[in-house]
Amino acid sequence: MANLVIIGLGYVGLPLAVEAARAGHSVVGLDIDRNVVEGLNAGRTHVDDLADADIQAMREAGFRATTDESVIASADIVVICVPTPWSDDGGPDLGAVRSAAGAIARKLCQGTVVILESTTYPGTTDEVLRPALEDESGLIAGRDFHLAFSPERIDPGNPTYGMRNTPKVIGGYTEACAKAAAEFYGTFVESVVYTKGTREAETAKLLENTYRHINIALVNEMARFCHELDIDLWDVVRAASTKPFGFQAFYPGPGVGGHCIPIDPNYLSHNVRARLGYPFRFVELAQEINSTMPAYVAHRAQNLLNSVGVATKDAHILLLGVTYKPNIADQRESPATPLARHLHALGAKISYHDPYVPSWHLNGVQLARVDDLDAAVKDADLVILVQNHAEYDADQLAKRAQRFFDTRGVTTGEGSHRL
Ligand SMILES: NC(=O)c1ccc[n+]([C@@H]2O[C@H](COP(=O)([O-])OP(=O)(O)OC[C@H]3O[C@@H](n4cnc5c(N)ncnc54)[C@H](O)[C@@H]3O)[C@@H](O)[C@H]2O)c1
């Protein structure tokens, strides 16, 4: 069993820490956020899929969190799980990866296995991480230490596929590097999949996310013309998905959220444009279609009110579910935010209900949170189901509402308008 240091204790790093500790590794978590470190050391989780009990069990198995990078000096394995956001000037922001690399390089020892899990553009491990590690430490990758890329494939809230039963893709700088990383993951993941090198592993992750992004854009574009042609797209997808081969169902919605779908494909398209000078057209088109869905939903809401002679200005609109996925609290890039912004610009009075979101701000102003769901559904001029949390019985809510707009296609009865 290894001495493991995980850098970045968020949605990716923390579940990894839990699984590795369960497998018997000695785990230390390194994070720059003092609140995260203090919370974990007090046995509190800040990640949806983990309970306080998971953190406490991991603590009992020896886990501790720290902001002190000197822990890297005694690590056999260091896994980097820091954020890779999109910068304000429209490019990849590898600041956290570079900073983690600097911390590792200052403490790197012979024989350590360094693995990058953060989603990033092809070439990052070899062209950004490797020189940063080698230059400062004086050690050479593949000779003095091992270096690999292994993308995280976590799907928050997924009850079927977790870390253990989702195959782990591994790309090593050398074959020996890949084997060293696989030996570690093999202690708690059922199967590993090798790629030829680090670039293939980096690109595999981006292909997975781009595939979803593009297929969601396909049905989102279809949703618009199917509505005008009076075709029920949900019924179309249901019928098409009975084909036992060659088709995978994707569903339209009010827009895409989280990090993987709206942000990660940009890492690929930006890289293609920067290196080769031409666009990755599929990604750019999907981005355009998916990012205009909140405005389209606002437009449909306005038409719904208009059809019964109610002006959107001053209309009471209740948004149900404002997170980016059902049954979790994560609001990153949630399409509910641009949707609320569009409705606000039309003059609507917006309130929201979400069992996972105690307070929600738009342009720095706190939106009214509804506690009595039944009363609020009856009172609103229009209810929009933005995220279908398990707590919602959409058909029942639609029956009680004056007008109900279902952007998730889950209602079956009369009284509901589907996207
Ligand atoms: N959340 C997901 O579902 C998911 C799935 C697959 C891949 N990813 C990728 O994994 C990576 C991490 O994502 P996440 O969702 O866990 O992020 P997160 O924001 O939940 O957590 C990142 C953590 O890293 C810490 N951090 C930032 N800079 C640091 C530094 N220099 N040193 C130490 N700690 C630092 C932050 O304080 C934070 O606690 C990203 O590249 C993301 O694209 C995320």
Side-chain angles (χ1 to χ4, degrees):
M1 289 294 128
N3 282 328
L4 168 66
V5 170
I6 296 174
I7 306 185
L9 300 169
Y11 282 89
V12 168
L14 200 54
L16 174 65
V18 168
E19 286 299 336
R22 273 187 199 144
H25 297 287
S26 167
V27 187
V28 178
L30 176 64
D31 203 292
I32 50 168
D33 187 332
R34 284 191 183 281
N35 291 330
V36 164
V37 167
E38 281 166 19
L40 291 171
N41 285 338
R44 287 194 304 272
T45 183
H46 58 278
V47 165
D48 281 308
D49 285 353
L50 297 172
D52 288 349
D54 294 315
I55 307 303
Q56 281 149 20
M58 178 166 72
R59 296 260 309 136
E60 278 157 29
F63 170 85
R64 69 189 170 91
T66 180
T67 56
D68 177 4
E69 67 182 44
S70 67
V71 292
I72 294 167
S74 49
D76 305 311
I77 295 170
V78 181
V79 186
I80 306 171
C81 303
V82 297
T84 45
W86 201 240
S87 70
D88 293 339
D89 56 13
D93 177 356
L94 292 189
V97 173
R98 290 181 200 279
S99 141
I104 300 169
R106 285 188 285 277
K107 306 286 170 194
L108 192 60
C109 301
Q110 289 271 348
T112 306
V113 183
V114 180
I115 305 167
L116 177 62
E117 287 213 4
S118 304
T119 307
T120 183
Y121 59 80
T124 304
T125 309
D126 189 22
E127 293 159 24
V128 178
L129 185 55
R130 185 173 62 83
L133 296 174
E134 289 182 343
D135 291 351
E136 171 107 23
S137 69
L139 301 174
I140 302 294
R143 187 192 74 187
D144 302 318
F145 67 96
H146 291 304
L147 179 63
F149 181 82
S150 180
E152 179 47 62
R153 293 168 138 179
I154 203 159
D155 181 18
N158 190 323
T160 313
Y161 290 106
M163 199 170 295
R164 279 187 172 271
N165 60 355
T166 305
K168 196 88 175 92
V169 170
I170 297 172
Y173 176 61
T174 63
E175 213 171 292
C177 291
K179 285 209 170 109
E183 199 180 318
F184 161 63
Y185 287 118
T187 58
F188 55 93
V189 176
E190 285 165 15
S191 65
V192 299
V193 179
Y194 291 110
T195 55
K196 276 176 82 174
T198 52
R199 278 177 185 74
E200 285 76 15
E202 289 159 338
T203 312
K205 170 70 186 177
L206 294 176
L207 173 61
E208 290 166 16
N209 291 354
T210 303
Y211 170 81
R212 283 187 60 73
H213 186 49
I214 288 170
N215 280 287
I216 292 169
L218 171 68
V219 283
N220 275 340
E221 185 170 30
M222 287 186 73
R224 297 174 187 222
F225 67 71
C226 281
H227 173 67
E228 293 199 36
L229 296 172
D230 197 20
I231 296 168
D232 185 335
L233 179 58
W234 307 94
D235 202 41
V236 173
V237 176
R238 184 187 60 75
S241 45
T242 59
K243 189 178 179 186
F245 49 88
F247 183 84
Q248 188 184 352
F250 286 87
Y251 300 94
V256 288
H259 195 276
C260 290
I261 307 299
I263 309 278
D264 293 352
N266 293 338
Y267 268 76
L268 199 47
S269 60
H270 184 275
N271 196 243
V272 170
R273 210 181 252 284
R275 287 187 176 209
L276 305 173
Y278 52 80
F280 182 1
R281 287 174 297 164
F282 263 122
V283 166
E284 294 184 3
L285 180 62
Q287 193 71 35
E288 186 187 316
I289 293 170
N290 287 336
S291 66
T292 52
M293 285 311 284
Y296 174 70
V297 169
H299 172 68
R300 287 276 302 273
Q302 188 180 21
N303 285 351
L304 265 172
L305 290 167
N306 190 49
S307 68
V308 289
V310 177
T312 311
K313 182 167 174 10
D314 294 333
H316 286 267
I317 298 184
L318 171 64
L319 304 182
L320 300 185
V322 298
T323 58
Y324 91 86
K325 279 183 95 171
N327 312 320
I328 62 169
D330 196 342
Q331 290 177 54
R332 288 180 297 176
E333 312 291 329
S334 171
T337 300
L339 171 60
R341 204 176 292 127
H342 286 296
L343 294 171
H344 179 73
L346 292 169
K349 292 190 161 59
I350 303 161
S351 57
Y352 81 100
H353 177 276
D354 194 310
Y356 298 90
V357 181
S359 70
W360 190 42
H361 294 82
L362 185 68
N363 307 332
V365 178
Q366 186 155 339
L367 289 174
R369 184 179 192 272
V370 156
D371 290 320
D372 186 342
L373 180 60
D374 275 352
V377 163
K378 276 185 207 140
D379 283 351
D381 294 304
L382 176 66
V383 178
I384 307 180
L385 181 71
V386 188
Q387 194 53 265
N388 186 34
H389 291 309
E391 284 83 351
Y392 296 144
D393 183 338
D395 275 324
Q396 286 303 320
L397 293 170
K399 271 188 203 153
R400 281 179 222 134
Q402 296 177 45
R403 272 150 232 104
F404 195 90
F405 184 17
D406 168 13
T407 69
R408 296 289 171 183
V410 291
T411 47
T412 51
E414 296 282 306
S416 166
H417 303 267
R418 299 208 288 186
L419 183 68

